[in-house]
Amino acid sequence: MIRKSTNLLLTRTLSNCLQYAIKKKNVGLAELVQVIINTTHLEQSCHFLEEFISNITNVPPDTMNATKLYGTSTFKDARHAAEAEIYTSLNAKIDQFLQLADNDWMSSAQGSGNLTTSDYLVDLIAFLRSTFSVFTNLPGKVAQTACMSACKHISTSLMQLLLNPEVRQISIGALHQLNVDLKECESFARASPVAGFQGDTLLLAFSDLRQERMKSECFQTFL
């Protein structure tokens, strides 16, 4: 009965509380990081709960009729939900910055020497640096996945802007500005904002955008 009641506490009450904390509106990235840290610790501590119940009931956990505790799966499911929410929330925040982009596709600038990185991108990269500094307490794979996902999302979003069918014409000046912005993204990736990436792995997130920009510039030069 103690084991069954504990399972109800874990799989219903506690699980519902964790899901509410993860899915609530405007949940912050820092809160999600804390949920992952806490559930990881709780998952690793489940054997202590198992020992405690065995001691007060004098029934070993490997006894044939002993009900298995579901704490490990409860905390693991909550952690995976928090991880997925981090990726979703991070991309949503990136979209907010990208919506501030004011691309002048007919810019008359002829060279990239005097151009500076777009303001929205400067703010976006500053946000990402600050965010990923908090991710140092996360399991390495989660932090790396979040970072790669963010870089791919930026690259894909910029590619969509470049290939937008409503943009009928793009000047060479606009392509120079895109090149400056892309270099800033590549510099961010090259700096390894999250530990654990091998070589230039993170740079690959921007490779397709780099190729598409070069193709567009070659086309403009030909014209």
Side-chain angles (χ1 to χ4, degrees):
M1 288 303 297
I2 290 177
R3 286 173 175 274
K4 289 179 180 179
S5 297
T6 303
N7 276 335
L8 285 175
L9 177 67
L10 292 171
T11 60
R12 290 187 185 179
T13 308
L14 183 55
S15 179
N16 288 340
C17 289
L18 287 171
Q19 291 299 326
Y20 173 77
I22 293 167
K23 296 293 185 179
K24 69 180 181 181
K25 189 176 181 181
N26 297 325
V27 61
L29 288 169
E31 291 177 80
L32 292 170
V33 168
Q34 193 62 56
V35 168
I36 292 174
I37 294 171
N38 290 349
T39 51
T40 299
H41 177 76
L42 290 169
E43 181 186 347
Q44 295 169 348
S45 303
C46 280
H47 67 279
F48 293 116
L49 179 59
E50 188 81 63
E51 289 177 6
F52 176 75
I53 293 176
S54 296
N55 289 335
I56 64 175
T57 59
N58 292 319
V59 179
D62 54 357
T63 301
M64 183 178 297
N65 294 326
T67 302
K68 180 183 177 182
L69 291 181
Y70 298 118
T72 299
S73 59
T74 296
F75 297 129
K76 186 178 294 184
D77 291 345
R79 188 175 72 252
H80 289 164
E83 291 170 3
E85 195 65 27
I86 278 183
Y87 308 145
T88 301
S89 296
L90 192 55
N91 286 349
K93 190 67 178 177
I94 290 171
D95 287 339
Q96 291 179 14
F97 283 98
L98 293 174
Q99 287 171 3
L100 300 176
D102 184 19
N103 296 297
D104 181 5
W105 296 116
M106 294 307 297
S107 172
S108 60
Q110 294 301 311
S112 59
N114 296 323
L115 294 174
T116 59
T117 306
S118 298
D119 290 342
Y120 80 92
L121 196 60
V122 172
D123 293 339
L124 170 56
I125 290 178
F127 162 76
L128 291 176
R129 286 199 178 102
S130 174
T131 298
F132 291 140
S133 67
V134 179
F135 284 14
T136 53
N137 294 320
L138 284 175
K141 185 178 179 181
V142 177
Q144 290 167 24
T145 301
C147 188
M148 177 60 81
S149 174
C151 288
K152 284 183 176 179
H153 190 67
I154 293 171
S155 181
T156 300
S157 298
L158 292 178
M159 179 86 80
Q160 289 173 347
L161 290 174
L162 180 62
L163 301 179
N164 187 342
E166 294 184 4
V167 178
R168 301 300 178 88
Q169 191 174 356
I170 302 177
S171 70
I172 193 69
L175 292 174
H176 285 322
Q177 180 61 58
L178 178 60
N179 185 52
V180 171
D181 290 344
L182 181 52
K183 282 183 176 180
E184 186 68 20
C185 292
E186 291 170 333
S187 176
F188 169 73
R190 199 175 288 111
S192 297
V194 167
F197 285 106
Q198 305 241 340
D200 291 335
T201 302
L202 198 55
L203 271 175
L204 294 176
F206 298 101
S207 60
D208 288 346
L209 179 59
R210 168 63 63 190
Q211 291 177 14
E212 189 62 40
R213 196 211 69 84
M214 291 176 65
K215 280 167 55 180
S216 297
E217 185 166 345
C218 288
F219 181 73
Q220 285 293 331
T221 303
F222 176 76
L223 290 177

